[in-house]
Amino acid sequence: MSNYHIKHLEEYYQVYRKSIRNPEQFWEEVAEEHFLWRKKWNAVLHWDFSKPEIKWFEGAKLNITENCIDRHLATRGDKTAILFEPNNPEEPAEHITYKQLHHRVNQFANVLKEQGIEKGDRVCIYVPMIPELAISLLACARIGAIHSVVFAGFSSTALATRINDADCKMVITADGSYRGAKTIDLKGIVDEALQNCPTVKTVLVAKRINSDITMKEGRDKWLQPLLDAASDQCKATVMDAEDPLFILYTSGSTGMPKGMVHTIAGYMVYTAYTFKNAFQYKEEDVYWCTADIGWITGHSYIVYGPLANGATTVMYEGVPSYPDFGRFWQIVEKHKVNQFYTAPTAIRALAKQGVELVDKYDLSSLKVLGSVGEPINEEAWHWYNDNVGKGKSPIIDSWWQTETGGMMITPIPYVTPTKPTYATLPFIGIQPCLMDENGDELKGNQTEGRLCIKFPWPSIARTIWGNHQRYKDTYFSTFKNMYFTGDGALRDEVGYYRITGRVDDVIIVSGHNLGTAPIEDAINEHPAVAESAIVGFPHDIKGSALYGYITLKDIGESRNHDNLRKEINQIISDKIGPIAKLDKIQFTQGLPKTRSGKIMRRILRKIASNELSNLGDVSTLLDPEVVENIIKDKL
Ligand code: PRX
């Protein structure tokens, strides 16, 4: 039996049992056999969910880039590490070997040092999907700087908020980015953000679209000349296992986005281990995850997990629809992709275009299909399975979160029999449970409740940057001694899990987490708006879309409502980003509230979803007429 590579179901059960009975021994064996340490740990695990405090491999010393790059040089130096596929299909792909990656990461790390970045400093990375993005993460890790990647689709306000929350000293960006036929002025967005970011001393700018941008004297520097002048030798800084590796922001139901902090050793071990098994990655395989590195999926399963296994990982710069909706399949054919990992929203958008665009290409290289980010509906699952996988490539519907660092509930392909829309069984070392609203565990199968995890796993986030209390309140206070995921789930008759969706005010739109509160705050900044409430409603491509109920200060407002709708969406776009724009805006005379003044979103959700026959308990409503009016005027 191999602890590291599970090949059949019986082995899964054996290894799973071992990982639960004696987690410390199990993870110690995995860590010892498969990674490069400068010094071994004093203790494998120390944990206390009541504080919460979680430490894995405490006392160990390492550098994650030595695990992701240096140790492969002897055996895989000329193997492609990163395979970059540009936005424009006419532009040649770039194969970056492990040797070249080593040089480029070292050069970049030396540039960071020359620019005054030291161990523990925070560096904000706002870069499109070009090789410099992956390389900048690794360069930070090489010298012990903490990277904070902000998805390069966020607005200047959202960027500034994240830069300031982590007191970043530097921003790495590009002149602009390509997105299909469009270009985006990234540097302009950075300039706007930095008007309000006093801690940023330096901006490094990669050249991508050759646009005319302004460079602020003393602050802004072109990256390439600095790289060209830098040495390609840079000793990896020896780090502690529990030093932070990165901060990555995720939306909460209320308030500021949460800067989830991941630490080095546990994150490395778990992302590498899950990558190997959940994709059944073999040495010659070409693996492609279509996510952006701006999200956790990209951190764990484009950069760290694949590279820790010496894999070839594809980075695609563009969008699924450019130059047409066959682009994904064209790339699969071109690079003979073996494992393909994407989001249900992309699958639904591609399915809508018909199968001709899939059938045009040779997809016979595919062995494993993955899905992540939101529940995959039955129709999308079958379309993916039948047309892309031709019924031969298992679909791994992997459930996990920014906070969990790595996959938590997922089939292992060719090991776990799949079932449409089910994430199936817990991964090795993961102890999920379902809780009822009274805080009691729901035992046995065929039950539904709130999804919690009972025991720490190596890549659990350790805190929220600068706000440990919020970390405790959000994840460890709803249920005693448990990590609460914020998701609901059901367990079927054989113990398979199906994720049913968020149970809080986070809405997942096209696989992106959006908190309702920041969107409502943005809307309320419009001078005509008195109050607003956002809910999700089903959408055939995005999964969920946003429905806004908005009360104006003066309902007789003479302005055209369509103009108002545009203005409101513009504010949202400016404050958060285009992904948070509302699909529907209904102007209402009031919002349904309880007697204590709390907005009853449950009712608004039902109305938005057209579930009018069953609004649930309305006895606590202050003014039932408000609801009647909303239904009457529903869009
Ligand atoms: O609601 C779950 C949903 O996405 C949330 C986590 O979002 P984020 O932190 O952005 O990470 C996404 C990528 C790991 C979860 O709380 N989610 C993620 N994967 C699935 C899912 N819901 C159902 N099925 C999934 N496979």
Side-chain angles (χ1 to χ4, degrees):
M1 182 178 76
S2 154
N3 277 338
Y4 195 69
H5 189 184
I6 293 146
K7 297 198 194 68
H8 49 82
L9 193 59
E10 206 179 303
E11 202 172 34
Y12 160 80
Y13 281 115
Q14 275 175 18
V15 176
Y16 182 75
R17 274 195 295 271
K18 185 169 166 186
S19 74
I20 301 308
R21 269 198 216 120
N22 198 338
E24 298 194 27
Q25 187 197 339
F26 175 77
W27 288 113
E28 177 157 49
E29 281 173 21
V30 170
E32 204 146 29
E33 284 167 30
H34 299 279
F35 299 89
L36 190 67
W37 304 90
R38 291 289 192 97
K39 176 182 168 287
K40 291 281 159 65
W41 41 90
N42 306 325
V44 178
L45 172 64
H46 164 83
W47 69 291
D48 179 350
F49 274 175
S50 70
K51 286 187 175 163
E53 188 173 76
I54 305 140
K55 291 180 178 167
W56 282 92
F57 309 112
E58 208 182 355
K61 305 260 183 208
L62 76 161
N63 187 292
I64 194 168
T65 67
E66 289 187 328
N67 282 274
C68 289
I69 309 172
D70 303 54
R71 69 171 164 145
H72 304 311
L73 294 177
T75 51
R76 302 181 175 111
D78 295 318
K79 176 178 176 177
T80 302
I82 295 176
L83 202 174
F84 172 62
E85 171 68 23
N87 178 65
N88 177 358
E90 307 296 320
E91 201 182 308
E94 192 182 341
H95 291 251
I96 303 170
T97 65
Y98 273 92
K99 259 189 215 151
Q100 290 165 335
L101 184 64
H102 186 242
H103 290 175
R104 290 175 69 170
V105 168
N106 282 343
Q107 280 176 326
F108 207 135
N110 282 327
V111 169
L112 295 179
K113 282 203 285 194
E114 281 157 22
Q115 297 300 321
I117 298 298
E118 294 172 1
K119 179 175 166 177
D121 285 344
R122 273 80 58 206
V123 174
C124 174
I125 301 175
Y126 187 71
V127 175
M129 281 289 282
I130 55 177
E132 285 80 357
L133 173 55
I135 292 169
S136 62
L137 269 68
L138 295 161
C140 286
R142 187 86 178 163
I143 62 166
I146 302 170
H147 58 75
S148 169
V149 182
V150 177
F151 170 59
F154 274 118
S155 71
S156 58
T157 318
L159 175 62
T161 309
R162 287 158 175 78
I163 291 173
N164 289 334
D165 185 64
D167 293 330
C168 293
K169 231 169 146 177
M170 174 187 271
V171 177
I172 304 172
T173 189
D175 53 352
S177 65
Y178 292 118
R179 267 188 93 69
K182 286 194 289 197
T183 54
I184 297 171
D185 174 22
L186 284 189
K187 177 63 167 49
I189 297 172
V190 170
D191 288 342
E192 220 174 287
L194 293 190
Q195 288 175 5
N196 303 307
C197 300
T199 55
V200 174
K201 302 288 174 256
T202 315
V203 179
L204 298 182
V205 187
K207 193 171 259 188
R208 178 57 184 149
I209 64 167
N210 286 310
S211 56
D212 207 9
I213 58 168
T214 42
M215 298 289 278
K216 187 171 168 187
E217 181 82 37
R219 186 194 71 183
D220 302 349
K221 292 165 191 167
W222 288 107
L223 178 62
Q224 197 56 49
L226 296 175
L227 290 173
D228 292 341
S231 153
D232 62 9
Q233 296 303 311
C234 176
K235 260 180 59 196
T237 301
V238 178
M239 304 295 291
D240 286 333
E242 281 294 336
D243 279 336
L245 175 63
F246 65 84
I247 303 169
L248 186 61
Y249 288 86
T250 186
S251 301
S253 2
T254 54
M256 267 282 301
K258 297 168 287 188
M260 304 313 308
V261 177
H262 282 282
T263 57
I264 301 170
Y267 177 82
M268 172 184 79
V269 168
Y270 194 74
T271 54
Y273 185 71
T274 43
F275 175 79
K276 176 76 185 164
N277 288 290
F279 293 108
Q280 291 288 307
Y281 184 83
K282 303 217 170 64
E283 188 60 39
E284 299 310 319
D285 289 346
V286 174
Y287 159 86
W288 179 22
C289 165
T290 70
D292 192 290
I293 292 176
W295 311 113
I296 191 70
T297 308
H299 280 59
S300 303
Y301 299 115
I302 295 178
V303 182
Y304 290 110
L307 296 179
N309 283 284
T312 297
T313 173
V314 175
M315 256 183 96
Y316 171 49
E317 182 180 26
V319 292
S321 55
Y322 184 77
D324 62 36
F325 279 93
R327 185 67 190 278
F328 273 7
W329 319 126
Q330 184 254 335
I331 297 173
V332 168
E333 177 184 282
K334 179 175 170 190
H335 297 302
K336 300 196 172 44
V337 171
N338 301 111
Q339 291 92 357
F340 177 75
Y341 194 28
T342 196
T345 184
I347 299 166
R348 288 189 293 264
L350 295 171
K352 218 173 167 183
Q353 303 300 317
V355 295
E356 303 75 40
L357 281 167
V358 188
D359 291 343
K360 240 174 102 176
Y361 298 98
D362 176 6
L363 305 185
S364 59
S365 56
L366 288 173
K367 295 192 286 191
V368 177
L369 302 177
S371 172
V372 61
E374 57 183 309
I376 180 165
N377 49 309
E378 189 122 11
E379 209 183 330
W381 196 96
H382 285 294
W383 186 87
Y384 198 27
N385 184 57
D386 299 349
N387 298 300
V388 181
K390 321 284 182 206
K392 289 189 318 227
S393 301
I395 295 179
I396 60 152
D397 175 3
S398 57
W399 170 83
W400 57 293
Q401 310 177 294
T402 305
E403 295 85 336
T404 69
M407 295 181 197
M408 300 291 284
I409 303 182
T410 181
I412 296 177
Y414 302 99
V415 171
T416 322
T418 58
K419 176 173 175 181
T421 77
Y422 280 74
T424 74
L425 297 173
F427 196 77
I428 304 301
I430 304 304
Q431 301 187 35
C433 61
L434 298 176
M435 306 294 291
D436 70 14
E437 288 186 15
N438 305 321
D440 293 320
E441 184 175 348
L442 295 155
K443 302 263 186 184
N445 290 341
Q446 285 189 300
T447 181
E448 181 168 355
R450 278 146 204 255
L451 179 61
C452 292
I453 315 288
K454 284 181 180 177
F455 193 87
W457 60 100
S459 66
I460 183 175
R462 305 296 197 255
T463 188
I464 291 174
W465 183 263
N467 199 345
H468 196 67
Q469 187 61 42
R470 187 173 180 202
Y471 177 65
K472 179 175 174 172
D473 295 344
T474 311
Y475 304 105
F476 298 91
S477 301
T478 317
F479 301 102
K480 201 165 179 270
N481 267 324
M482 305 250 170
Y483 166 80
F484 174 44
T485 64
D487 282 319
L490 61 82
R491 196 163 48 219
D492 77 358
E493 62 287 353
V494 297
Y496 273 17
Y497 287 86
R498 176 186 185 169
I499 313 303
T500 49
R502 301 289 310 179
V503 294
D504 57 10
D505 288 330
V506 171
I507 304 170
I508 304 189
V509 178
S510 299
H512 301 145
N513 279 10
L514 298 171
T516 51
I519 304 176
E520 290 163 4
D521 290 346
I523 297 169
N524 298 349
E525 284 190 24
H526 191 290
V529 171
E531 223 183 357
S532 60
I534 304 299
V535 297
F537 72 100
H539 185 280
D540 61 354
I541 292 185
K542 300 178 182 182
S544 295
L546 300 179
Y547 194 119
Y549 298 89
I550 298 179
T551 312
L552 299 176
K553 286 183 182 148
D554 174 7
I555 192 72
E557 195 34 81
S558 57
R559 266 193 293 175
N560 176 329
H561 275 183
D562 276 343
N563 279 346
L564 261 182
R565 287 193 175 94
K566 278 194 196 129
E567 287 169 20
I568 287 167
N569 264 333
Q570 190 57 48
I571 296 186
I572 296 174
S573 208
D574 293 345
K575 296 273 164 199
I576 298 162
I579 49 175
K581 286 206 264 189
L582 309 183
D583 268 50
K584 292 190 180 174
I585 296 179
Q586 178 177 351
F587 295 109
T588 64
Q589 288 186 357
L591 296 172
K593 291 189 181 160
T594 60
R595 291 189 186 90
S596 58
K598 209 167 171 285
I599 296 174
M600 293 181 76
R601 288 167 196 282
R602 176 175 52 81
I603 294 180
L604 293 174
R605 259 195 295 270
K606 295 232 169 186
I607 298 174
S609 310
N610 260 328
E611 293 173 33
L612 302 177
S613 57
N614 173 23
L615 290 183
D617 179 14
V618 290
S619 61
T620 53
L621 263 178
L622 179 63
D623 180 2
E625 209 181 312
V626 169
V627 174
E628 286 159 29
N629 285 330
I630 291 178
I631 294 175
K632 191 158 58 63
D633 298 337
K634 184 180 170 337
L635 299 172

